[in-house]
Amino acid sequence: SGKDVYDSVCMPCHMSGAAGAPITGETNQWSTRLAKGNATLYSNAINGIGVMPAKGGLSSLTDEEVRAAVDYLLDESN
C-alpha cells in the first residue's frame, strides 16, 4: 500500500525534513508543490529531484507503488 511504501522508504526524510524534504503534514511546505499538480509530483518522486533519488532510492519499487506513496503523503499533508 502507499502507506507501507511511505513508512519504509519516504518517512525518514519527510518526517525530519532531511535535505530540505517537505515535512509530512506541514501544509505550508506543500502548497507550492501541490500547485504544480499531481503529475509533476509523481514524476519527481519516480525520477528524483534535487537530492532526492529516483523512487526514494529503492529502485525495485514500481511506478504504481511510488504513485500510491505520493497519494498517501499528499492525503496526510492536505
Side-chain angles (χ1 to χ4, degrees):
S1 73
K3 181 182 183 328
D4 292 334
V5 173
Y6 171 83
D7 287 348
S8 64
V9 179
C10 312
M11 186 171 55
C13 293
H14 284 285
M15 286 304 289
S16 68
I23 296 174
T24 305
E26 294 291 331
T27 307
N28 60 322
Q29 294 183 17
W30 285 96
S31 60
T32 58
R33 290 166 176 88
L34 289 169
K36 295 177 183 178
N38 284 10
T40 297
L41 296 173
Y42 295 146
S43 177
N44 291 343
I46 291 167
N47 300 306
I49 185 169
V51 297
M52 185 181 102
K55 298 182 178 182
L58 187 59
S59 61
S60 62
L61 290 173
T62 66
D63 290 356
E64 292 76 26
E65 289 170 321
V66 175
R67 282 192 286 271
V70 169
D71 289 340
Y72 174 80
L73 178 58
L74 296 178
D75 285 345
E76 294 295 308
S77 299
N78 281 323

